[in-house]
Amino acid sequence: MGNKKILVTGGTGFIGSHTVVELQQHGYDVVIIDNLSNSTIEVLDNIAKITGIVPVFEQFDLADADRTTDFLHRHSDISGIIHFAAFKAVGESMEKPLHYYRNNVQSLINLLEGMKNNGITNLVFSSSCTVYGQPDELPVTEKAPIKPAWSPYGNTKQMCEDILKFTTMAHPIHAIALRYFNPIGAHHTSLIGELPLGVPNNLVPFITQTAIGQRSCLSVFGNDYNTPDGTAVRDYIHVVDIAKAHVVAVERMLNGKCKLDLEIFNLGTGIGYSVMDVINAFEKVSGEKLNYKIVPRRPGDVEMVWADTRFANEELGWKAEKNVDEMMLAAWNWEKALAAKKI
Ligand code: WQD
């Protein structure tokens, strides 16, 4: 009996590549689909440097229904799918809503169609805490009301969760949606990490690129929020903790432990950190003084959000292990490794 095969869409991306490493190290055979729109093919070699196994890879766009159907027909022995492939920049989605709806929603529909037609029954979906908007109560639980989306990006995650709800009711498919809070950091080998193409949208790569000298100054988007130090609060979580949760979710499905057609879990640490907390943690672990300035708020940003993690801790048996200092040190080591390669 060979190893079980898992398809990872978006597997050369930030969270995808860390999840491929964990899957391989847990004995799964991994196949990756990626269109390389926001990642590079070198990631495959770097994954292999960590695990000794080069993942099977096919490059195409999941928004292409024919290519997706053909792939799933050829790989109908897949035991499960983890679907990361999506555009995920909140700000960019405000400028290109149709780009986001077509890519993020059509890709999921094509995958589900192919699963239904080829008897593939298990899907883990990459969702996001952005579905909550600004919660009325904190920490936010999976039962919190889904509020009107603040961006097309967040709206595509809400739509995809609804598509999963009704599709898993109608067809023999189980799905687990994992709502990520703010994934940051990198693998301890510094062989894989967050590699934003172009100017980073996210806070942590902008911090490390400023400290390494690639950016001149970090802009802190607002210090007039109703928070302890005025800067916005998020639940930052190490990307490897996120990756480990995906292996737990896959095994829950393969072992027939799902209790609902669609299960939803928050993936956070349960701790909220402000932008200044993150900057202070970075300066502490790196010994670098960060150049930053306070500028007006960024449109679309919520003020404060952090996870109630009890359901994932108790039902999945998973708990985030790494603290913000470890996350920021891993992110800094990764940035230094990138700079060393450029020399
Ligand atoms: C974090 C904080 C900014 C950049 C992300 C993902 C989204 C979803 C949720 C997964 C905010 C501030 C940022 C900068 C700053 N994750 N900031 N200066 O907006 O919480 O969303 O996590 O699905 O996909 O994008 O993350 O890193 O952009 O911002 O002050 O240059 O840092 O205002 O308070 P965000 P972020």
Side-chain angles (χ1 to χ4, degrees), residues 181-250:
F181 282 70
N182 286 55
I184 64 171
H187 196 261
H188 65 83
T189 60
S190 294
L191 285 165
I192 53 175
E194 190 167 11
L195 193 56
L197 304 185
V199 178
N201 286 295
N202 292 117
L203 174 67
V204 171
F206 210 111
I207 286 176
T208 57
Q209 287 187 12
T210 301
I212 204 90
Q214 193 178 345
R215 310 281 164 210
S216 57
C217 177
L218 168 76
S219 297
V220 174
F221 297 141
N223 67 349
D224 56 351
Y225 285 103
N226 184 20
T227 63
D229 62 23
T231 63
V233 173
R234 296 287 186 276
D235 185 330
Y236 296 94
I237 176 168
H238 198 292
V239 62
V240 173
D241 281 329
I242 293 268
K244 290 179 188 293
H246 286 76
V247 179
V248 171
V250 162

Side-chain angles (χ1 to χ4, degrees), residues 287-298:
E288 302 282 336
K289 187 85 188 76
L290 188 73
N291 185 24
Y292 68 89
K293 63 186 177 192
I294 307 294
V295 299
R297 297 181 180 189
R298 178 173 67 176

Side-chain angles (χ1 to χ4, degrees), residues 14 17 29 51 55 57 64 77 94 128 135 141 147 152 163 178 193 200-201 207-208 226 267 310 317 329:
F14 176 37
S17 56
D29 288 342
T51 63
F57 173 69
D64 179 333
D77 59 337
M94 301 295 274
S128 164
T141 75
K147 301 177 77 173
I163 290 168
L178 299 176
N201 286 295
I207 286 176
T208 57
N226 184 20
L267 294 189
R310 280 173 299 176
L329 184 58

